[in-house]
């Protein structure tokens, strides 16, 4: 299945790429946003993704826009370190930078980084990508019988198997409830622990069947295992804390009039973004407003886009602009 960037037109409308601008695509994926930005203006793009399998998409884009895009295999929460380690004068060398390379470099001060690396916009598309869901060996989806994995960063030592087979029953239940909104979380956790006493739970099909054994679908069109898989994926990748750190770091590297755009697909993610943006645009303890909301009302996908790409139905776009 081809990855279709969600809210692409709306993102470009808010970002409004300009010639000579420098932009950050903090969730590169298949490169849909990066490509659209580069097609919109004569500009440069820093691309970031923690999943090194996206390099194949980057190589194709880099061939067409060589010298205008650079990919970093890193967590987007390290965006300041990434920019500190780079230099626009040597944008093409190397064209792909892995995390280890960033960590070993001498990091310049944030003041020097702001002076030498002017960032006009940062874009986030939060959550799992359709490519990851469709890769049978990644374990993100119960539609494929694959090992329990769910890692966005395949170098990480934390995966879904550890969650299912190692965590205490209470931890499992609390995570599934908090991250998945699953009201039967305690039943699911108990069923998981009872099964793992007899044998190791190894595959997505095994886990999905365990959930379905205690949660009936009823009249719902959603598979009973959906919320549990979502919760485990968020836990494995520490997605909510990563989001908090990422947007906070991104807000600090924007220049005057720079824009920060975040697209989310989950209420927990959207709440984090909404609260953070409100804090920047409506400070309680100072009269100095450094940011302004670009869209006071959250932007959602049109009926036409949802019809063409059902994944867009839960997407929400929020955007702010630096004033000072």
């Amino acid at each position: 299945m081809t990855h279709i960037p969600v809210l692409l037109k709306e993102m470009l409308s808010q970002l409004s790429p300009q010639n000579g601008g420098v932009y950050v695509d903090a969730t590169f994926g298949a490169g849909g946003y990066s490509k659209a930005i580069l097609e919109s203006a004569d500009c440069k793009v820093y691309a970031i993704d923690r999943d090194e399998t996206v390099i194949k998409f980057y190589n194709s884009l880099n061939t067409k826009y060589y010298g205008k895009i650079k990919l970093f295999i890193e967590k987007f929460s390290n965006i300041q370190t990434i920019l500190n380690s780079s230099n626009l004068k040597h944008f093409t060398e190397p064209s792909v930078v892995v995390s280890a390379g960033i960590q070993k470099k001498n990091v310049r001060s944030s003041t020097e980084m702001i002076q030498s690396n002017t960032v006009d916009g940062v874009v986030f598309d939060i959550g799992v990508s359709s490519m990851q869901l469709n890769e049978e060996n990644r374990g993100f989806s119960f539609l494929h019988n694959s090992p329990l994995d769910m890692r966005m960063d395949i170098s990480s030592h934390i995966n879904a198997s550890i969650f299912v087979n190692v965590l205490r029953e209470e931890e499992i239940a609390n995570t599934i409830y908090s991250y998945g909104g699953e009201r039967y979380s305690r039943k699911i956790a108990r069923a998981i622990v009872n099964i793992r006493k007899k044998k190791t739970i190894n595959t997505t099909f095994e886990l999905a069947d365990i959930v379905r054994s205690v949660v009936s679908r009823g009249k719902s069109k959603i598979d009973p295992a959906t919320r549990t898989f979502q919760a485990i994926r968020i836990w494995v990748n520490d997605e909510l804390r990563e989001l908090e750190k990422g947007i906070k770091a991104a807000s600090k590297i924007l220049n005057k009039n720079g824009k920060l755009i975040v697209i989310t697909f989950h209420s927990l993610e959207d709440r984090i973004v909404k609260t953070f943006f409100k804090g920047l645009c409506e400070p309680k303890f100072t009269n100095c407003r450094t940011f302004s909301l670009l869209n006071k009302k959250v932007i959602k996908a049109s009926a036409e886009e949802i019809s063409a790409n059902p994944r867009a139905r839960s997407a929400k776009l929020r955007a702010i602009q630096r004033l000072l």
Side-chain angles (χ1 to χ4, degrees):
M1 182 184 296
T2 302
H3 177 72
I4 304 174
V6 172
L7 291 171
L8 182 61
K9 291 182 180 179
E10 291 81 356
M11 181 278 291
L12 283 176
S13 176
Q14 296 293 324
L15 187 64
S16 185
Q18 302 296 310
N19 291 341
V22 176
Y23 302 94
V24 177
D25 180 355
T27 49
F28 179 74
Y33 286 169
S34 289
K35 180 181 179 181
I37 293 169
L38 290 167
E39 288 179 343
S40 299
D42 183 11
C43 59
K44 292 184 177 180
V45 172
Y46 286 101
I48 305 170
D49 204 295
R50 64 200 293 188
D51 187 348
E52 63 185 49
T53 65
V54 306
I55 291 176
K56 60 180 177 289
F57 300 108
Y58 170 76
N59 287 339
S60 175
L61 195 58
N62 188 43
T63 299
K64 184 175 181 180
Y65 295 101
Y66 186 75
K68 294 186 177 182
I69 183 169
K70 181 187 285 187
L71 174 65
F72 295 84
I73 302 301
E74 252 290 4
K75 293 180 178 180
F76 55 59
S77 59
N78 294 328
I79 189 170
Q80 287 181 292
T81 304
I82 290 169
L83 294 183
N84 275 336
S85 71
S86 187
N87 188 325
L88 292 179
K89 294 179 181 178
H90 306 289
F91 207 79
T92 62
E93 299 179 2
S95 60
V96 179
V97 182
V98 297
S99 58
I102 293 175
Q103 294 168 358
K104 290 179 182 178
K105 291 187 177 182
N106 293 323
V107 178
R108 298 189 294 252
S109 69
S110 59
T111 302
E112 183 182 351
M113 182 269 295
I114 294 296
Q115 291 174 345
S116 60
N117 293 313
T118 303
V119 177
D120 299 290
V122 184
V123 179
F124 291 84
D125 177 7
I126 303 302
V128 66
S129 71
S130 56
M131 298 101 58
Q132 291 167 328
L133 286 170
N134 292 326
E135 288 187 40
E136 296 186 13
N137 64 334
R138 300 295 294 275
F140 284 104
S141 172
F142 49 76
L143 297 179
H144 311 291
N145 191 22
S146 59
L148 283 170
D149 193 334
M150 301 192 193
R151 293 172 300 166
M152 292 178 179
D153 174 2
I154 58 178
S155 68
S156 171
H157 299 297
I158 304 298
N159 60 24
S161 180
I162 290 176
F163 177 91
V164 170
N165 292 294
V166 177
L167 265 64
R168 293 183 296 109
E169 181 178 328
E170 183 181 6
E171 292 177 289
I172 293 173
N174 289 344
T175 299
I176 294 174
Y177 179 78
S178 299
Y179 293 167
E182 176 56 75
R183 58 178 177 159
Y184 297 109
S185 61
R186 297 196 180 281
K187 280 188 174 182
I188 295 169
R190 192 173 306 119
I192 288 173
V193 171
N194 287 338
I195 292 294
R196 80 184 191 193
K197 288 178 180 178
K198 304 173 185 177
K199 67 182 186 67
T200 302
I201 303 168
N202 292 311
T203 70
T204 53
F205 276 13
E206 289 178 88
L207 177 57
D209 285 342
I210 292 170
V211 177
R212 295 178 189 129
S213 72
V214 293
V215 182
S216 63
R217 178 181 294 227
K219 296 181 180 179
S220 176
K221 295 181 181 180
I222 301 175
D223 190 290
T226 301
R227 288 182 288 271
T228 296
F229 269 67
Q230 171 188 280
I232 296 174
R233 189 205 79 221
I234 291 174
W235 179 88
V236 167
N237 298 289
D238 199 16
E239 292 179 35
L240 300 184
R241 184 159 28 180
E242 178 72 4
L243 172 59
E244 289 178 335
K245 293 166 64 177
I247 58 177
K248 182 178 181 180
S251 70
K252 294 179 179 179
I253 53 95
L254 292 171
N255 66 358
K256 182 180 179 181
N257 297 321
K259 299 173 181 178
L260 173 55
I261 300 170
V262 186
I263 297 169
T264 61
F265 295 84
H266 187 281
S267 59
L268 292 176
E269 299 164 347
D270 182 59
R271 191 178 307 137
I272 289 171
V273 177
K274 181 180 180 181
T275 301
F276 180 70
F277 280 10
K278 183 177 181 180
L280 289 178
C281 298
E282 302 176 12
K284 293 182 179 180
F285 305 109
T286 176
N287 293 323
C288 181
R289 292 177 63 232
T290 54
F291 284 87
S292 175
L293 292 172
L294 286 175
N295 55 312
K296 293 184 178 180
K297 187 175 181 181
V298 66
I299 297 175
K300 299 181 180 181
S302 65
E304 291 77 13
E305 181 174 3
I306 294 173
S307 177
N309 181 16
R311 179 174 176 263
R313 67 180 179 275
S314 57
K316 295 180 179 179
L317 185 154
R318 297 184 185 275
I320 55 175
Q321 183 172 28
R322 178 177 280 278
L323 301 176
L324 302 174

